Amino acid sequence: MKKIDKIPGAVYFGNDSWKQLQQIIDKQDASSVAILVDTNTKNHCLPVFNEHIKLAKPAFIIEISAGEEHKNIASCLEVWGELSQNGFDRASLIINLGGGVVTDLGGFIACTYMRGITSINIPTSLLAMVDAAVGGKNGVDLGALKNQIGIIKDPLAVIIAPEFLKTMPQNQLTSGFAEMLKHGLIYSNDYWQRLQSFNTTNISEAENLIWESIEIKNEIVTEDQQETGRRKTLNFGHTLGHAIESYCLETNHMHSLLHGEAIAIGMILALHISVNQEGFPEDTYNSASKRLLKVCGKVQFSSDDITEIIKLLKHDKKNISGKVLFVLLKDIAQPLINKRVEDHLILKSFDAYKKL
Ligand code: GLY
């Protein structure tokens, strides 16, 4: 088992981390335990949890519908209601068993129910393992706007069992892989290069690369949990990526994108802007954008779509005083935060994406 020791926010990684979870739960001795699942993780992941963990009394299972469109305050009202009606008190424990929607929403529930109860994250998707479940960002969407309501607070622990990845659909794996590529681009050229051979069929090599991503994320969020500086680099690709994700979710003629797919497009666009504005090397843009295109596939955006996406940018959480702020790169592993970008460079980046 690999681990990051900190309290709260410890991370345990490996299929043997279940033993650690059993010890944490026994020590916690909670008055009641709820397990938050979605429709998919109830069927596929809860049986795995039950195989490994013995609870003093049966857990109360709370199920939300799967999908980003359910990451909202209406789902929270239902979960808060279920906890309250079933006598959950301040000494209770909530275990979030699922992907990013479950860990984000469950973390928010835990931070707010009775002003805060203990939670543990068990991320079951690659995206949640390398990003969502680590770093204490919890929250829900406000209509189409992603993660507008939330709080930053670490769970007691994060338990990462890569065995969940075995049954994960390929598109979900590539969506998580996009965040790993982001870690390479913002943090280490060496890691970026090694990621080019990432292949989930070679489990031990893949597990090492996944763990490295978790360590990169942990290093950054430990230095700047409240996102006043360095943590902003983790938003690389997210300014346009979130706007694209929201737009595709809300607009009938577009197919919804997985988070990582939208972020991969956002990274291609941000790299192009970086070439024009910050002197990012053009040959690296050419190779990196081809790699990222494999993750996101080609999405067709009309000029009207692009106009609407640019309008959505004004709601981005990273904006200050109405100014849209980007993370750009001077080179791989040389991130620049709080960068203003003129609309014509955004339009140019969409033109270049169309030609890839
Ligand atoms: N997903 C970016 C962060 O946790 O800061």
Side-chain angles (χ1 to χ4, degrees):
M1 184 184 67
K2 297 179 165 81
K3 63 178 176 175
I4 294 166
D5 263 329
K6 49 178 192 174
I7 298 175
V11 184
Y12 300 96
F13 180 90
N15 293 328
D16 48 351
S17 53
W18 292 110
K19 287 196 195 96
Q20 193 67 38
L21 176 61
Q22 183 72 60
Q23 283 174 19
I24 294 170
I25 293 175
D26 292 347
K27 189 167 166 217
Q28 191 66 18
D29 194 23
S31 52
S32 321
V33 177
I35 305 180
L36 184 71
V37 288
D38 67 18
T39 337
N40 297 327
T41 60
K42 185 176 179 194
N43 291 333
H44 300 294
C45 304
L46 191 55
V48 180
F49 175 93
N50 287 333
E51 241 172 61
H52 290 285
I53 300 297
K54 298 287 160 259
L55 297 173
K57 59 178 183 175
F60 183 70
I61 309 300
I62 305 181
E63 181 183 343
I64 56 170
S65 305
E68 183 72 32
E69 63 276 30
H70 301 288
K71 195 174 120 178
N72 54 29
I73 214 73
S75 301
C76 291
L77 280 172
E78 281 177 27
V79 181
W80 284 320
E82 290 207 46
L83 291 173
S84 178
Q85 283 148 27
N86 289 283
F88 275 74
D89 61 24
R90 297 193 68 189
S92 51
L93 168 69
I94 180 160
I95 298 175
N96 304 311
L97 179 67
V101 172
V102 169
T103 59
D104 278 13
L105 188 140
F108 182 63
I109 294 283
C111 291
T112 48
Y113 181 72
M114 293 198 172
R115 297 205 188 95
I117 59 174
T118 305
S119 69
I120 293 174
N121 281 344
I122 309 180
T124 57
S125 69
L126 181 57
L127 182 90
M129 290 177 187
V130 298
D131 187 25
V134 177
K137 276 194 181 173
N138 310 292
V140 293
D141 302 339
L142 184 64
L145 303 175
K146 297 258 312 156
N147 304 326
Q148 292 279 304
I149 309 297
I151 210 164
I152 300 182
K153 187 170 175 236
D154 271 320
L156 177 63
V158 184
I159 306 294
I160 301 180
E163 67 182 282
F164 286 124
L165 299 179
K166 279 192 226 139
T167 51
M168 176 117 293
Q170 191 58 39
N171 63 344
Q172 293 283 350
L173 285 173
T174 38
S175 172
F177 182 53
E179 294 285 358
M180 295 172 66
L181 289 169
K182 178 194 78 181
H183 290 151
L185 287 171
I186 62 167
Y187 184 89
S188 157
N189 190 29
D190 171 62
Y191 182 57
W192 163 258
Q193 297 301 339
R194 282 182 292 115
L195 280 175
Q196 308 312 314
S197 61
F198 179 74
N199 175 356
T200 46
T201 54
N202 179 353
I203 293 296
S204 58
E205 173 65 10
E207 284 189 10
N208 286 335
L209 289 168
I210 293 170
W211 176 246
E212 243 178 291
S213 241
I214 294 163
E215 286 186 308
I216 293 170
K217 168 120 198 217
N218 179 65
E219 181 189 313
I220 295 171
V221 300
T222 303
E223 186 183 304
D224 175 28
Q225 194 184 29
Q226 295 304 316
E227 198 171 298
T228 53
R230 192 177 177 201
R231 186 169 186 161
K232 293 183 186 184
T233 63
L234 291 168
N235 294 327
F236 178 64
H238 283 57
T239 302
L240 277 159
H242 269 162
I244 290 168
E245 188 179 1
S246 298
Y247 182 71
C248 292
L249 192 67
E250 287 289 292
T251 313
N252 288 337
H253 71 274
M254 301 297 287
H255 286 295
S256 289
L257 294 173
L258 293 173
H259 176 71
E261 293 169 336
I263 294 317
I265 302 175
M267 287 194 280
I268 295 175
L269 300 171
L271 284 176
H272 191 271
I273 296 168
S274 300
V275 172
N276 281 309
Q277 187 169 309
E278 309 296 343
F280 185 87
E282 200 158 354
D283 53 343
T284 314
Y285 163 77
N286 289 332
S287 55
S289 55
K290 283 197 187 76
R291 184 68 192 85
L292 290 164
L293 197 64
K294 282 199 193 147
V295 174
C296 56
K298 197 64 182 283
V299 177
Q300 305 297 338
F301 297 105
S302 68
S303 352
D304 287 347
D305 295 331
I306 295 168
T307 307
E308 292 305 314
I309 289 166
I310 292 177
K311 272 193 207 156
L312 276 175
L313 290 178
K314 70 175 185 299
H315 295 288
D316 196 275
K317 289 191 302 308
K318 297 175 281 304
N319 298 350
I320 307 279
S321 307
K323 296 186 182 72
V324 181
L325 297 175
F326 279 74
V327 180
L328 299 177
L329 299 184
K330 182 133 198 68
D331 203 339
I332 292 184
Q334 292 181 36
L336 305 161
I337 58 173
N338 299 335
K339 299 303 284 188
R340 292 201 56 194
V341 174
E342 300 294 334
D343 280 3
H344 76 95
L345 286 186
I346 301 178
L347 292 170
K348 220 168 147 179
S349 71
F350 272 102
D351 274 347
Y353 172 77
K354 269 187 206 161
K355 290 185 194 127
L356 283 175

